[in-house]
């Protein structure tokens, strides 16, 4: 016999990614919580909102407001027991407001007093290999010629025929490079950074 019990239908549903917690995880839970202010004749009108505030569905001031209104109503009835008609009207308004508000705790349209949805944090973009840099390195280290007409072939050709008065390195450092590397924006020569942070033309094989 399986002794493991499933999640309670009256509990809260786990918070979806990037969203706020939910008050109900089933239709039955919503109905049960909604009738709490009704069956208790308003005495427990604040209970659903205290629970929602603890779960993080609403801001605490909403629960405090319902608690204050409920206490004020009880004090008024105790001090003025003869005001039956007026007290009855206030009781009906409290029950209707609490029950309606409870039923709308998970509604996307009712946003007053709710905690803002948390935006999902995007995963950091993984570094991408530079195909031109790879092709130039394959040429320099392994002697593999680059594809004719490619940016790597143009870079190597410019490196052989052109020079710069002042090199303008563009960082092309890959994840597995032992030192920072770059290509000169002007002549396309392969450059490395020394220990003092200066860019130098890399020695060619």
């Amino acid at each position: 016999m399986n002794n493991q019990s499933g999640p309670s239908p009256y509990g809260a549903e786990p918070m979806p990614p990037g969203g706020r917690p939910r008050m109900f995880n089933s239709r039955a839970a919503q109905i049960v919580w909604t009738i709490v202010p009704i069956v208790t004749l308003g005495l427990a009108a604040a209970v659903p909102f205290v629970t929602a505030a603890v779960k993080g569905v609403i801001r605490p001031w909403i629960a405090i407001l319902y608690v204050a209104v409920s206490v004020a109503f009880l004090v008024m009835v105790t001090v003025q027991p003869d005001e039956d008609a007026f007290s009855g009207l206030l009781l009906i308004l409290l029950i209707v407001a609490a029950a309606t508000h409870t039923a709308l705790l998970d509604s996307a349209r009712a946003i007053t007093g709710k905690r803002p949805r948390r935006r999902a944090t995007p995963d950091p973009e993984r570094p991408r290999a530079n195909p031109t840099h790879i092709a130039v390195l394959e040429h320099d280290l392994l002697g593999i010629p680059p594809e004719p007409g490619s940016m790597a072939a143009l870079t190597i050709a410019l490196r052989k025929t052109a020079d710069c008065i002042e090199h303008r390195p563009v960082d092309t450092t890959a994840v597995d490079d032992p030192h920072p590397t770059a290509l000169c924006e002007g002549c396309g020569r392969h450059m490395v950074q020394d220990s003092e942070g200066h860019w130098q033309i890399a020695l060619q094989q």
Side-chain angles (χ1 to χ4, degrees):
M1 180 177 180
N2 187 3
N3 294 327
Q4 295 182 350
S5 58
S8 170
Y10 310 112
E13 184 178 272
M15 184 176 61
R20 65 172 66 91
R22 295 180 60 86
M23 179 65 179
F24 320 113
N25 67 350
S26 68
R27 183 66 174 176
Q30 183 182 22
I31 294 174
V32 169
W33 279 108
T34 300
I35 65 177
V36 166
I38 300 174
V39 299
T40 61
L41 298 180
L43 296 177
V47 172
F49 303 98
V50 173
T51 304
V54 172
K55 293 177 179 178
V57 179
I58 61 174
R59 297 186 182 276
W61 68 264
I62 293 290
I64 295 173
L65 178 63
Y66 271 96
V67 171
V69 171
S70 300
V71 172
F73 174 76
L74 293 176
V75 171
M76 184 189 66
V77 172
T78 303
V79 175
Q80 298 178 340
D82 297 333
E83 300 293 336
D84 293 337
F86 183 67
S87 300
L89 177 61
L90 290 182
L91 177 61
I92 293 175
L93 291 177
L94 176 62
I95 293 174
V96 171
T100 303
H101 196 175
T102 301
L104 297 176
L105 283 176
D106 282 343
S107 174
R109 297 180 180 180
I111 59 174
T112 302
K114 288 187 176 180
R115 293 188 180 278
R117 293 184 179 273
R118 293 187 296 179
R119 296 181 178 181
T121 303
D123 295 332
E125 185 177 354
R126 301 180 65 180
R128 299 180 180 180
N130 188 320
T132 300
H133 183 207
I134 293 175
V136 172
L137 287 179
E138 289 178 345
H139 172 269
D140 294 342
L141 301 178
L142 304 177
I144 301 176
E147 181 180 354
S150 65
M151 183 60 67
L154 178 61
T155 299
I156 295 172
L158 288 174
R159 192 169 59 189
K160 294 178 179 179
T161 59
D163 200 354
C164 293
I165 298 176
E166 182 178 355
H167 293 287
R168 301 187 302 276
V170 177
D171 197 342
T172 57
T173 307
V175 177
D176 55 348
D177 285 341
H179 302 288
T181 61
L183 291 176
C184 177
E185 186 179 24
C187 64
R189 291 190 177 184
H190 182 58
M191 306 182 71
V192 295
Q193 196 175 57
D194 58 23
S195 59
E196 297 180 355
H198 301 299
W199 291 103
Q200 305 291 339
I201 297 297
L203 297 177
Q204 305 298 321
Q205 293 182 347

